[in-house]
Amino acid sequence: QLQLVESGGGLVQPGGSLRLSCAASGFDLKYYSIGWFRQAPGKEREGVACITYSDDKTRYADSVKGRFTISRDYAKNTVHLQMDSLKPEDTAVYYCAAQLGLKLLFKVCVVSEYEHWGQGTQVTVSS
């Protein structure tokens, strides 16, 4: 059974860092594009950082460019999201998602392109 499990969320002060992890079981992530998405209360889910399969091209939301980094750990079948210089507006539930064979960079951070989702992890940035 295909499963995604996020971890690493929590409470952090503004300017701090967190590293989220998305561990996959039941399938090999190297054949899937992976996206990190977030949803704040009252807002739509949005793509934050995404990576294509086979060539690992990345795409970031403008609001996180230069602060967030997505990466794959092929040995552990895991994708990470390193989040630095966190701001209160980064507060949200963060989800990872996987989609087989999604290669077009302009689609890789589109919510509707993804079939498989994790349960989410809460990130709260507050002093």
Side-chain angles (χ1 to χ4, degrees):
Q1 183 178 355
L2 190 153
Q3 190 174 15
L4 296 167
V5 178
E6 302 97 335
S7 62
L11 173 64
V12 63
Q13 292 186 342
S17 297
L18 282 175
R19 188 189 193 211
L20 304 184
S21 297
C22 174
S25 60
F27 67 107
D28 192 335
L29 275 180
K30 72 180 180 183
Y31 299 112
Y32 289 72
S33 289
I34 305 297
W36 280 100
F37 299 82
R38 67 186 180 188
Q39 189 165 17
K43 294 189 176 182
E44 291 188 356
R45 192 169 298 189
E46 63 171 348
V48 174
C50 306
I51 187 165
T52 60
Y53 90 102
S54 82
D55 53 8
D56 284 352
K57 290 183 178 178
T58 57
R59 188 177 181 97
Y60 295 92
D62 288 343
S63 59
V64 307
K65 282 180 182 177
R67 301 189 297 122
F68 290 12
T69 304
I70 187 171
S71 62
R72 290 182 187 265
D73 184 335
Y74 286 96
K76 295 183 179 180
N77 209 30
T78 299
V79 175
H80 301 290
L81 182 66
Q82 178 67 39
M83 306 188 295
D84 299 318
S85 302
L86 282 161
K87 304 175 181 180
E89 50 264 44
D90 294 319
T91 295
V93 178
Y94 283 70
Y95 301 89
C96 69
Q99 183 58 40
L100 181 66
L102 177 60
K103 197 170 185 178
L104 295 176
L105 191 58
F106 76 95
K107 287 188 176 182
V108 78
C109 254
V110 175
V111 172
S112 60
E113 294 293 330
Y114 284 83
E115 180 180 358
H116 308 289
W117 291 83
Q119 293 301 305
T121 185
Q122 176 71 46
V123 172
T124 303
V125 185
S126 175
S127 55

